[in-house]
Amino acid sequence: IRLVANIGVAIAEENCSQPDDLIRDAHSAMRHAKQKDGGYAMFDRSIAQRVTPSTTERRLREALERGQFVLHYQPVVSLQTQRMVKVEALIRWEDPERGLVPPGDFIPALEETGLIVPVGNWVLEEACRQARRWQELYADRAPLAVTLNVSTRQLAQYDFPDVLTRALTVTQVDPSLICLEITEGALMHDVEAAWTMLRTAKTSGVALALDDFGTGFSSLSFLRKFSMDILKIDKSFVDGLGHSREDTTIVEHLIGMARGLGMVTVAEGVETADQVKYLRSLDCHMAQGFYYCKPQPAEVIDQIMGEPTNSGWTPEQGRQAVSGTTPATATATIGLDA
Ligand code: C2E
Ligand code: MG
Ligand code: MG
Protein backbone atom coordinates (compact mmCIF):
# COMPACT_ATOMS: atom_id res chain seq x y z
CA ILE A 1 0.00 0.00 0.00
CA ARG A 2 1.43 3.31 -1.04
CA LEU A 3 0.17 6.25 1.01
CA VAL A 4 0.41 9.75 -0.37
CA ALA A 5 -0.42 12.98 1.41
CA ASN A 6 -1.77 15.91 -0.58
CA ILE A 7 -1.62 19.36 0.94
CA GLY A 8 -3.35 22.45 -0.38
CA VAL A 9 -2.25 25.82 0.95
CA ALA A 10 -4.28 29.01 0.65
CA ILE A 11 -3.60 32.43 2.09
CA ALA A 12 -6.49 34.75 2.94
CA GLU A 13 -6.41 37.62 0.49
CA GLU A 14 -8.99 39.99 -0.87
CA ASN A 15 -10.80 37.17 -2.67
CA CYS A 16 -11.58 35.53 0.68
CA SER A 17 -14.29 37.33 2.58
CA GLN A 18 -15.54 34.26 4.43
CA PRO A 19 -13.76 31.34 6.09
CA ASP A 20 -15.48 29.11 3.55
CA ASP A 21 -13.73 30.92 0.70
CA LEU A 22 -10.37 30.13 2.23
CA ILE A 23 -11.30 26.47 2.66
CA ARG A 24 -12.56 26.38 -0.93
CA ASP A 25 -9.22 27.72 -2.23
CA ALA A 26 -7.23 25.34 -0.05
CA HIS A 27 -9.35 22.52 -1.37
CA SER A 28 -8.72 23.58 -4.97
CA ALA A 29 -4.99 23.70 -4.28
CA MET A 30 -5.19 20.26 -2.66
CA ARG A 31 -6.92 18.87 -5.75
CA HIS A 32 -4.18 20.39 -7.86
CA ALA A 33 -1.52 18.75 -5.66
CA LYS A 34 -3.34 15.44 -6.04
CA GLN A 35 -3.14 15.70 -9.80
CA LYS A 36 0.60 16.08 -9.54
CA ASP A 37 0.60 12.74 -7.71
CA GLY A 38 1.13 13.95 -4.19
CA GLY A 39 2.93 16.82 -2.52
CA TYR A 40 1.65 20.29 -1.86
CA ALA A 41 0.38 23.16 -3.93
CA MET A 42 -0.09 26.83 -3.15
CA PHE A 43 -3.35 28.34 -4.31
CA ASP A 44 -3.10 30.92 -7.05
CA ARG A 45 -5.32 32.33 -9.75
CA SER A 46 -4.23 29.80 -12.40
CA ILE A 47 -5.39 27.00 -10.10
CA ALA A 48 -8.72 28.74 -9.64
CA GLN A 49 -9.16 28.72 -13.42
CA ARG A 50 -8.12 25.09 -13.81
CA VAL A 51 -10.07 23.61 -10.95
CA THR A 52 -13.60 22.83 -11.90
CA PRO A 53 -16.39 24.79 -10.34
CA SER A 54 -18.77 22.51 -8.56
CA THR A 55 -21.60 23.29 -10.98
CA THR A 56 -19.58 21.71 -13.77
CA GLU A 57 -19.02 18.68 -11.59
CA ARG A 58 -22.73 18.41 -10.90
CA ARG A 59 -23.59 18.80 -14.58
CA LEU A 60 -21.07 16.14 -15.59
CA ARG A 61 -22.41 13.77 -12.97
CA GLU A 62 -25.92 14.35 -14.30
CA ALA A 63 -24.66 13.83 -17.85
CA LEU A 64 -23.45 10.37 -16.86
CA GLU A 65 -26.68 9.51 -15.04
CA ARG A 66 -28.88 10.80 -17.87
CA GLY A 67 -26.94 9.05 -20.62
CA GLN A 68 -25.74 12.27 -22.29
CA PHE A 69 -22.30 10.87 -23.18
CA VAL A 70 -21.97 9.29 -26.60
CA LEU A 71 -19.16 7.63 -28.49
CA HIS A 72 -18.18 8.63 -31.99
CA TYR A 73 -15.90 6.41 -34.02
CA GLN A 74 -13.03 7.41 -36.28
CA PRO A 75 -11.85 4.93 -38.95
CA VAL A 76 -8.25 3.70 -38.80
CA VAL A 77 -7.18 2.70 -42.28
CA SER A 78 -4.58 0.14 -43.39
CA LEU A 79 -1.99 1.87 -45.56
CA GLN A 80 -1.46 -1.36 -47.49
CA THR A 81 -5.08 -2.08 -48.42
CA GLN A 82 -6.70 1.34 -47.90
CA ARG A 83 -9.46 -0.33 -45.93
CA MET A 84 -10.89 0.49 -42.55
CA VAL A 85 -9.49 -2.10 -40.14
CA LYS A 86 -10.57 -0.55 -36.88
CA VAL A 87 -12.21 2.48 -35.34
CA GLU A 88 -11.21 4.63 -32.39
CA ALA A 89 -14.02 5.34 -29.91
CA LEU A 90 -13.98 9.03 -28.92
CA ILE A 91 -16.29 10.43 -26.28
CA ARG A 92 -18.60 13.43 -26.79
CA TRP A 93 -21.07 15.08 -24.46
CA GLU A 94 -24.52 15.79 -25.85
CA ASP A 95 -25.12 18.75 -23.58
CA PRO A 96 -28.74 19.94 -23.82
CA GLU A 97 -27.47 23.50 -23.29
CA ARG A 98 -24.42 23.59 -25.56
CA GLY A 99 -24.94 20.80 -28.08
CA LEU A 100 -22.16 18.35 -28.90
CA VAL A 101 -19.19 19.11 -26.65
CA PRO A 102 -15.72 17.78 -27.64
CA PRO A 103 -13.69 15.82 -25.06
CA GLY A 104 -11.03 18.50 -24.75
CA ASP A 105 -13.66 20.70 -23.07
CA PHE A 106 -14.69 18.28 -20.34
CA ILE A 107 -12.06 15.53 -19.89
CA PRO A 108 -9.86 17.81 -17.73
CA ALA A 109 -12.86 18.39 -15.43
CA LEU A 110 -13.62 14.65 -15.36
CA GLU A 111 -9.99 13.98 -14.42
CA GLU A 112 -9.96 16.62 -11.70
CA THR A 113 -13.18 15.45 -10.11
CA GLY A 114 -12.37 11.75 -10.40
CA LEU A 115 -15.50 11.30 -12.55
CA ILE A 116 -13.20 10.01 -15.28
CA VAL A 117 -13.33 6.64 -13.51
CA PRO A 118 -17.10 5.94 -13.84
CA VAL A 119 -17.25 7.72 -17.21
CA GLY A 120 -14.20 5.78 -18.45
CA ASN A 121 -15.77 2.55 -17.30
CA TRP A 122 -18.90 3.43 -19.23
CA VAL A 123 -16.77 4.12 -22.33
CA LEU A 124 -15.08 0.75 -21.92
CA GLU A 125 -18.33 -1.19 -21.70
CA GLU A 126 -20.07 0.80 -24.44
CA ALA A 127 -17.12 0.36 -26.84
CA CYS A 128 -17.06 -3.40 -26.11
CA ARG A 129 -20.82 -3.59 -26.69
CA GLN A 130 -20.51 -1.79 -30.01
CA ALA A 131 -17.59 -4.01 -31.10
CA ARG A 132 -19.65 -7.07 -30.28
CA ARG A 133 -22.58 -5.66 -32.24
CA TRP A 134 -20.40 -5.14 -35.33
CA GLN A 135 -18.87 -8.57 -34.79
CA GLU A 136 -22.35 -10.13 -34.96
CA LEU A 137 -23.82 -7.91 -37.69
CA TYR A 138 -20.91 -8.32 -40.08
CA ALA A 139 -19.84 -11.86 -39.23
CA ASP A 140 -19.03 -12.50 -42.91
CA ARG A 141 -16.61 -9.58 -43.08
CA ALA A 142 -13.13 -8.99 -41.77
CA PRO A 143 -13.79 -8.11 -38.12
CA LEU A 144 -13.73 -4.47 -37.10
CA ALA A 145 -11.60 -3.83 -34.03
CA VAL A 146 -12.42 -1.02 -31.60
CA THR A 147 -9.73 0.97 -29.86
CA LEU A 148 -10.57 3.20 -26.86
CA ASN A 149 -8.80 5.65 -24.61
CA VAL A 150 -8.13 4.77 -20.99
CA SER A 151 -7.09 7.45 -18.53
CA THR A 152 -4.24 6.66 -16.14
CA ARG A 153 -6.51 7.54 -13.29
CA GLN A 154 -8.86 4.78 -14.42
CA LEU A 155 -5.94 2.41 -14.91
CA ALA A 156 -4.72 3.16 -11.39
CA GLN A 157 -7.95 1.86 -9.80
CA TYR A 158 -7.25 -1.34 -7.92
CA ASP A 159 -10.31 -2.95 -9.50
CA PHE A 160 -9.48 -1.99 -13.09
CA PRO A 161 -8.75 -5.65 -14.06
CA ASP A 162 -12.21 -6.62 -12.72
CA VAL A 163 -13.88 -3.76 -14.59
CA LEU A 164 -12.18 -4.89 -17.79
CA THR A 165 -13.09 -8.54 -17.26
CA ARG A 166 -16.69 -7.57 -16.54
CA ALA A 167 -16.96 -5.45 -19.71
CA LEU A 168 -15.57 -8.31 -21.80
CA THR A 169 -17.81 -10.91 -20.14
CA VAL A 170 -21.05 -8.92 -20.11
CA THR A 171 -20.75 -7.93 -23.76
CA GLN A 172 -19.22 -11.25 -24.86
CA VAL A 173 -16.97 -9.42 -27.29
CA ASP A 174 -13.92 -11.19 -28.68
CA PRO A 175 -11.13 -9.57 -26.56
CA SER A 176 -8.77 -9.58 -29.55
CA LEU A 177 -11.06 -6.95 -31.12
CA ILE A 178 -10.47 -4.53 -28.25
CA CYS A 179 -7.47 -2.25 -27.83
CA LEU A 180 -6.76 0.07 -24.90
CA GLU A 181 -4.93 3.31 -25.69
CA ILE A 182 -2.81 4.82 -22.98
CA THR A 183 -1.08 8.17 -23.31
CA GLU A 184 2.63 7.84 -22.92
CA GLY A 185 3.30 10.84 -20.71
CA ALA A 186 0.62 9.89 -18.23
CA LEU A 187 2.07 6.42 -17.69
CA MET A 188 5.28 7.78 -16.28
CA HIS A 189 3.74 8.91 -12.98
CA ASP A 190 3.61 5.51 -11.41
CA VAL A 191 5.39 3.13 -13.69
CA GLU A 192 5.21 0.12 -11.38
CA ALA A 193 1.45 0.35 -10.78
CA ALA A 194 0.78 0.93 -14.46
CA TRP A 195 2.96 -2.03 -15.38
CA THR A 196 0.99 -4.37 -13.13
CA MET A 197 -2.32 -3.18 -14.59
CA LEU A 198 -1.15 -3.40 -18.18
CA ARG A 199 0.22 -6.92 -17.63
CA THR A 200 -3.13 -8.00 -16.20
CA ALA A 201 -5.00 -6.33 -19.07
CA LYS A 202 -2.84 -8.19 -21.53
CA THR A 203 -3.67 -11.56 -20.04
CA SER A 204 -7.34 -10.90 -20.79
CA GLY A 205 -6.47 -10.85 -24.50
CA VAL A 206 -6.90 -7.17 -25.34
CA ALA A 207 -4.27 -5.22 -27.28
CA LEU A 208 -2.43 -2.19 -25.89
CA ALA A 209 -1.52 0.99 -27.74
CA LEU A 210 0.78 3.81 -26.72
CA ASP A 211 -1.09 7.00 -27.70
CA ASP A 212 0.34 10.41 -28.66
CA PHE A 213 3.86 8.99 -28.81
CA GLY A 214 6.49 11.68 -28.89
CA THR A 215 4.60 14.29 -26.89
CA GLY A 216 5.59 13.10 -23.42
CA PHE A 217 8.92 11.84 -22.18
CA SER A 218 9.28 9.21 -24.92
CA SER A 219 11.47 7.12 -22.69
CA LEU A 220 13.06 4.23 -24.53
CA SER A 221 13.42 2.21 -21.36
CA PHE A 222 9.67 2.57 -21.05
CA LEU A 223 9.16 1.03 -24.49
CA ARG A 224 11.42 -1.82 -23.47
CA LYS A 225 9.61 -2.43 -20.21
CA PHE A 226 6.01 -2.30 -21.44
CA SER A 227 5.34 -4.68 -24.26
CA MET A 228 2.80 -2.59 -26.11
CA ASP A 229 1.33 -3.81 -29.39
CA ILE A 230 0.73 -0.52 -31.15
CA LEU A 231 2.59 2.78 -31.35
CA LYS A 232 0.52 5.81 -32.29
CA ILE A 233 2.69 8.58 -33.69
CA ASP A 234 1.38 11.94 -32.61
CA LYS A 235 -0.16 14.38 -35.08
CA SER A 236 2.44 17.03 -34.23
CA PHE A 237 5.13 14.94 -36.00
CA VAL A 238 2.87 13.81 -38.84
CA ASP A 239 2.13 17.50 -39.58
CA GLY A 240 5.74 18.14 -40.52
CA LEU A 241 6.18 15.08 -42.75
CA GLY A 242 7.90 15.96 -45.99
CA HIS A 243 8.64 19.59 -45.17
CA SER A 244 10.27 19.57 -41.77
CA ARG A 245 13.56 17.67 -41.80
CA GLU A 246 13.35 17.11 -38.03
CA ASP A 247 9.79 15.74 -38.04
CA THR A 248 10.44 13.56 -41.08
CA THR A 249 13.55 12.06 -39.50
CA ILE A 250 11.75 11.45 -36.21
CA VAL A 251 8.76 9.75 -37.87
CA GLU A 252 11.05 7.65 -40.05
CA HIS A 253 13.02 6.43 -37.06
CA LEU A 254 9.96 5.92 -34.86
CA ILE A 255 8.47 3.65 -37.51
CA GLY A 256 11.76 1.76 -37.85
CA MET A 257 12.11 1.39 -34.11
CA ALA A 258 8.52 0.22 -33.61
CA ARG A 259 8.92 -2.28 -36.40
CA GLY A 260 12.09 -3.62 -34.80
CA LEU A 261 10.20 -3.99 -31.53
CA GLY A 262 7.41 -5.87 -33.31
CA MET A 263 4.88 -3.07 -32.85
CA VAL A 264 2.23 -1.93 -35.30
CA THR A 265 2.52 1.76 -36.20
CA VAL A 266 -0.44 4.11 -36.57
CA ALA A 267 0.03 7.70 -37.75
CA GLU A 268 -2.46 10.08 -36.13
CA GLY A 269 -3.94 13.25 -37.55
CA VAL A 270 -3.28 12.48 -41.23
CA GLU A 271 -4.80 15.30 -43.25
CA THR A 272 -3.21 15.24 -46.72
CA ALA A 273 -2.55 12.88 -49.62
CA ASP A 274 1.13 13.77 -49.42
CA GLN A 275 1.29 12.58 -45.83
CA VAL A 276 -0.35 9.30 -46.86
CA LYS A 277 2.20 8.84 -49.65
CA TYR A 278 5.07 9.58 -47.32
CA LEU A 279 3.82 7.26 -44.60
CA ARG A 280 3.36 4.50 -47.13
CA SER A 281 6.91 4.95 -48.39
CA LEU A 282 8.09 4.63 -44.79
CA ASP A 283 6.12 1.37 -44.39
CA CYS A 284 3.86 2.76 -41.67
CA HIS A 285 1.06 0.23 -41.11
CA MET A 286 -2.02 2.37 -40.51
CA ALA A 287 -3.26 5.93 -40.59
CA GLN A 288 -6.09 7.85 -39.01
CA GLY A 289 -7.13 11.38 -39.72
CA PHE A 290 -9.49 13.88 -41.31
CA TYR A 291 -8.02 12.95 -44.71
CA TYR A 292 -9.99 9.73 -44.43
CA CYS A 293 -12.82 10.56 -42.10
CA LYS A 294 -13.67 12.62 -39.03
CA PRO A 295 -15.06 10.77 -35.99
CA GLN A 296 -18.63 9.70 -36.78
CA PRO A 297 -21.66 8.33 -34.91
CA ALA A 298 -21.92 4.51 -34.89
CA GLU A 299 -24.69 4.60 -37.52
CA VAL A 300 -22.31 6.08 -40.08
CA ILE A 301 -19.81 3.29 -39.42
CA ASP A 302 -22.75 0.92 -39.94
CA GLN A 303 -23.34 2.46 -43.35
CA ILE A 304 -19.68 2.06 -44.25
CA MET A 305 -19.64 -1.55 -43.04
CA GLY A 306 -22.95 -2.23 -44.79
CA GLU A 307 -21.49 -1.56 -48.25
CA PRO A 308 -22.29 -4.81 -50.05
CA THR A 309 -19.22 -4.99 -52.27
CA ASN A 310 -16.57 -4.49 -49.69
CA SER A 311 -15.21 -6.54 -46.85
CA GLY A 312 -13.50 -3.49 -45.47
CA TRP A 313 -13.56 0.21 -46.21
CA THR A 314 -12.11 2.58 -48.74
CA PRO A 315 -11.98 6.35 -48.32
CA GLU A 316 -14.25 6.61 -51.37
CA GLN A 317 -16.93 4.48 -49.72
CA GLY A 318 -16.49 6.29 -46.46
CA ARG A 319 -17.05 9.56 -48.23
CA GLN A 320 -20.21 8.30 -49.87
CA ALA A 321 -21.55 6.97 -46.60
CA VAL A 322 -20.97 10.18 -44.73
CA SER A 323 -21.88 12.63 -47.46
CA GLY A 324 -24.91 14.53 -46.35
CA THR A 325 -24.58 13.11 -42.86
CA THR A 326 -22.31 15.83 -41.60
CA PRO A 327 -20.47 18.70 -43.26
CA ALA A 328 -17.52 17.84 -41.04
CA THR A 329 -16.30 15.29 -43.58
CA ALA A 330 -15.82 17.81 -46.36
CA THR A 331 -12.05 17.72 -45.91
CA ALA A 332 -12.03 14.02 -46.81
CA THR A 333 -12.80 14.84 -50.42
CA ILE A 334 -9.28 15.82 -51.39
CA GLY A 335 -7.18 13.40 -53.44
CA LEU A 336 -8.53 10.23 -51.98
CA ASP A 337 -7.03 8.09 -54.72
CA ALA A 338 -3.51 8.71 -53.44
P1 C2E B 1 -6.60 10.96 -29.06
O1 C2E B 1 -6.90 9.69 -28.37
O2 C2E B 1 -5.20 11.18 -29.51
O3 C2E B 1 -7.63 11.03 -30.27
C1 C2E B 1 -7.36 11.63 -31.50
C2 C2E B 1 -7.91 13.04 -31.55
O4 C2E B 1 -7.44 13.67 -32.72
C3 C2E B 1 -9.44 13.08 -31.65
O5 C2E B 1 -9.87 14.28 -31.05
C4 C2E B 1 -9.66 13.20 -33.15
O6 C2E B 1 -10.89 13.78 -33.51
C5 C2E B 1 -8.52 14.10 -33.52
N1 C2E B 1 -8.12 13.93 -34.91
C6 C2E B 1 -8.11 12.79 -35.63
N2 C2E B 1 -7.68 13.00 -36.86
C7 C2E B 1 -7.40 14.33 -36.95
C8 C2E B 1 -6.91 15.17 -38.01
O7 C2E B 1 -6.64 14.76 -39.12
N3 C2E B 1 -6.75 16.50 -37.71
C9 C2E B 1 -7.04 17.01 -36.48
N4 C2E B 1 -6.86 18.32 -36.29
N5 C2E B 1 -7.50 16.24 -35.46
C10 C2E B 1 -7.66 14.91 -35.71
P2 C2E B 1 -11.02 14.31 -29.96
O8 C2E B 1 -12.11 13.36 -30.31
O9 C2E B 1 -11.37 15.74 -29.72
O10 C2E B 1 -10.30 13.72 -28.68
C11 C2E B 1 -9.24 14.39 -28.06
C12 C2E B 1 -8.61 13.57 -26.98
O11 C2E B 1 -9.53 13.37 -25.90
C13 C2E B 1 -8.22 12.17 -27.43
O12 C2E B 1 -7.00 12.22 -28.14
C14 C2E B 1 -8.10 11.48 -26.09
O13 C2E B 1 -6.86 11.76 -25.48
C15 C2E B 1 -9.21 12.14 -25.29
N6 C2E B 1 -10.38 11.27 -25.29
C16 C2E B 1 -11.35 11.11 -26.21
N7 C2E B 1 -12.26 10.18 -25.83
C17 C2E B 1 -11.84 9.72 -24.62
C18 C2E B 1 -12.34 8.74 -23.70
O14 C2E B 1 -13.35 8.05 -23.94
N8 C2E B 1 -11.62 8.54 -22.54
C19 C2E B 1 -10.49 9.25 -22.27
N9 C2E B 1 -9.85 9.01 -21.11
N10 C2E B 1 -9.98 10.16 -23.11
C20 C2E B 1 -10.65 10.40 -24.28
MG1 MG C 1 -6.45 7.83 -28.65
MG1 MG D 1 -3.60 10.41 -29.93
Side-chain angles (χ1 to χ4, degrees):
I1 298 171
R2 183 166 156 265
L3 292 178
V4 189
N6 302 297
I7 304 167
V9 185
I11 296 169
E13 285 171 351
E14 67 278 15
N15 62 327
C16 295
S17 56
Q18 302 288 328
D20 279 353
D21 295 343
L22 191 58
I23 299 291
R24 177 203 61 207
D25 291 352
H27 198 243
S28 297
M30 189 268 287
R31 288 224 290 243
H32 182 66
K34 218 170 180 176
Q35 258 191 311
K36 297 190 304 177
D37 203 18
Y40 74 93
M42 293 290 293
F43 178 83
D44 65 29
R45 249 174 243 296
S46 71
I47 289 182
Q49 275 154 11
R50 250 173 293 159
V51 172
T52 337
S54 56
T55 44
T56 310
E57 181 173 349
R58 185 179 45 75
R59 296 208 60 232
L60 285 168
R61 204 176 285 282
E62 275 172 12
L64 178 63
E65 285 159 8
R66 296 177 185 174
Q68 290 169 359
F69 290 116
V70 287
L71 293 182
H72 280 192
Y73 298 87
Q74 185 178 34
V76 180
V77 176
S78 156
L79 284 168
Q80 275 81 45
T81 62
Q82 288 289 317
R83 283 165 199 253
M84 173 172 72
V85 281
K86 55 182 171 177
V87 286
E88 176 170 4
L90 295 157
I91 196 168
R92 273 94 182 90
W93 174 16
E94 281 179 339
D95 182 356
E97 283 176 22
R98 289 186 293 168
L100 202 64
V101 184
D105 289 4
F106 62 89
I107 295 243
L110 289 178
E111 293 272 3
E112 277 164 18
T113 55
L115 278 169
I116 191 72
V117 175
V119 172
N121 293 349
W122 172 82
V123 170
L124 175 63
E125 197 169 317
E126 180 60 23
C128 288
R129 182 163 294 116
Q130 189 55 257
R132 168 70 190 177
R133 212 186 123 252
W134 282 322
Q135 192 189 328
E136 273 176 344
L137 270 177
Y138 308 107
D140 56 332
R141 314 255 160 128
L144 184 65
V146 176
T147 176
L148 63 118
N149 297 283
V150 175
S151 130
T152 19
R153 197 138 177 205
Q154 198 186 347
L155 199 66
Q157 298 297 304
Y158 75 94
D159 65 344
F160 182 75
D162 299 334
V163 170
L164 176 62
T165 308
R166 196 172 56 237
L168 296 172
T169 317
V170 167
T171 60
Q172 295 204 304
V173 68
D174 174 354
S176 70
L177 293 179
I178 300 299
C179 174
L180 309 182
E181 296 192 5
I182 296 110
T183 300
E184 168 218 357
L187 275 179
M188 306 300 292
H189 290 311
D190 191 346
V191 175
E192 285 310 317
W195 174 227
T196 310
M197 285 304 177
L198 292 178
R199 222 176 19 203
T200 321
K202 221 140 181 211
T203 58
S204 66
V206 301
L208 301 176
L210 203 47
D211 204 356
D212 306 336
F213 193 76
T215 54
F217 301 94
S218 308
S219 161
L220 297 182
S221 62
F222 175 86
L223 269 186
R224 188 176 54 187
K225 182 165 178 125
F226 291 88
S227 50
M228 308 290 269
D229 307 284
I230 296 159
L231 189 78
K232 298 193 79 172
I233 302 168
D234 192 66
K235 180 180 186 308
S236 53
F237 296 103
V238 175
D239 281 347
L241 260 186
H243 51 87
S244 150
R245 194 165 59 87
E246 290 80 7
D247 288 350
T248 309
T249 307
I250 290 170
V251 172
E252 197 179 314
H253 285 85
L254 279 183
I255 293 172
M257 183 183 67
R259 189 172 289 278
L261 291 169
M263 298 169 87
V264 167
T265 42
V266 179
E268 296 190 84
V270 174
E271 292 182 346
T272 69
D274 280 348
Q275 288 168 348
V276 171
K277 249 186 226 157
Y278 224 108
L279 289 163
R280 226 188 257 151
S281 75
L282 296 177
D283 273 343
C284 180
H285 296 108
M286 298 175 195
Q288 169 183 4
F290 294 176
Y291 171 70
Y292 292 107
C293 198
K294 286 195 171 182
Q296 301 292 338
E299 306 81 68
V300 176
I301 304 296
D302 271 326
Q303 275 171 269
I304 297 168
M305 286 300 280
E307 282 290 327
T309 53
N310 206 325
S311 59
W313 181 77
T314 64
E316 183 56 41
Q317 280 177 305
R319 202 167 71 222
Q320 280 164 11
V322 294
S323 62
T325 315
T326 158
T329 53
T331 51
T333 54
I334 44 163
L336 284 174
D337 55 348

